[in-house]
Amino acid sequence: DAKTTQPNSMESNEEEPVHLPCNHSTISGTDYIHWYRQLPSQGPEYVIHGLTSNVNNRMASLAIAEDRKSSTLILHRATLRDAAVYYCILRHQTGANNLFFGTGTRLTVIP
Amino acid sequence: GAGVSQSPRYKVAKRGQDVALRCDPISGHVSLFWYQQALGQGPEFLTYFQNEAQLDKSGLPSDRFFAERPEGSVSTLKIQRTQQEDSAVYLCASSSTGPALYFGPGTRLTVT
């Protein structure tokens, strides 16, 4: 699986938008971009995924660069409950079903 | 509905003891995964089942680690002769045909 690069940590003020970047310059044409987050003392939780087009769901938005070498997870209004480690993962369309996590970005939300 | 459950939530074992960790996936989920998460690190893949078949065990760190899912539902991860480096959180996840893996809360294993 292709590798992703994320900042180790980020901070955001409560009720402000958060943009979490992810670089994946070696992405292949059939790699999907998945995001998971892990709250303290919990298992990872699926957030969103996409292939080429931007995606929105109730939790977040995913903006994918035109060349697909980077993407950004957008939390429109950060709350204290969004404080977590966010993982950007590439999952091959026809590959194994397992996910390969990196070390992710630890998001701190400041009240 | 009920999510993925794991038991026990916490396990303390003396070095050399055998341990068994249980995972109850979401009902009807065909795929089941085990991950190991060391402190401060992301989860690392251990093994994958589709129904009762173990299709990928490439992540198991040694032959002391063994996983089974005999009836295609509940799974058990067994670690024999535990070592201190086995201390970690063991996560189980299940999935059906959709894109998401659903993770349990994990079992924190501490080997003393």
Side-chain angles (χ1 to χ4, degrees):
Chain A
D1 292 87
K3 187 180 173 181
T4 64
T5 305
Q6 300 177 253
N8 287 334
S9 62
M10 291 185 65
E11 284 186 355
S12 173
N13 292 319
E14 196 177 9
E15 299 188 8
E16 288 188 356
V18 183
H19 290 232
L20 297 164
C22 181
N23 288 322
H24 28 78
S25 58
T26 60
I27 191 171
S28 75
T30 51
D31 281 336
Y32 283 79
I33 302 158
H34 288 245
W35 284 82
Y36 281 73
R37 72 178 185 181
Q38 188 171 23
L39 279 65
S41 301
Q42 295 188 27
E45 172 189 30
Y46 168 82
V47 177
I48 200 166
H49 81 286
L51 184 62
T52 56
S53 302
N54 294 345
V55 184
N56 300 295
N57 67 19
R58 64 174 180 81
M59 290 181 70
S61 295
L62 176 60
I64 301 173
E66 199 167 329
D67 64 4
R68 301 211 324 126
K69 294 185 185 301
S70 65
S71 61
T72 302
L73 180 70
I74 302 165
L75 307 179
H76 294 287
R77 199 165 156 268
T79 70
L80 296 178
R81 287 175 293 180
D82 292 323
V85 178
Y86 287 78
Y87 297 98
C88 170
I89 301 161
L90 299 184
R91 188 177 186 187
H92 196 277
Q93 184 180 30
T94 58
N97 282 317
N98 50 300
L99 303 175
F100 289 91
F101 291 77
T103 52
T105 297
R106 181 173 297 278
L107 176 66
T108 301
V109 180
I110 302 167
Chain B
V4 177
S5 61
Q6 294 186 244
S7 60
R9 291 294 313 279
Y10 303 91
K11 177 70 178 177
V12 179
K14 286 187 165 45
R15 192 162 60 96
Q17 281 184 335
D18 297 349
V19 297
L21 312 180
R22 177 187 169 108
C23 172
D24 285 79
I26 293 173
S27 177
H29 277 194
V30 168
S31 299
L32 186 144
F33 307 81
W34 283 98
Y35 284 80
Q36 180 191 58
Q37 186 170 24
L39 191 65
Q41 302 296 314
E44 292 194 358
F45 170 76
L46 293 177
T47 187
Y48 159 62
F49 290 86
Q50 188 168 348
N51 295 307
E52 68 278 6
Q54 189 174 19
L55 299 186
D56 187 347
K57 52 182 180 179
S58 61
L60 297 176
S62 78
D63 58 7
R64 296 186 295 104
F65 286 71
F66 172 77
E68 60 184 5
R69 193 186 186 199
E71 297 178 1
S73 178
V74 171
S75 178
T76 304
L77 177 67
K78 297 180 179 176
I79 309 173
Q80 296 177 322
R81 305 181 302 281
T82 53
Q83 306 293 317
Q84 281 194 315
E85 61 262 29
D86 300 334
S87 295
V89 175
Y90 290 85
L91 295 161
C92 175
S94 69
S95 72
S96 60
T97 55
L101 268 63
Y102 297 87
F103 283 82
T107 295
R108 182 177 297 278
L109 173 65
T110 303
V111 181
T112 60

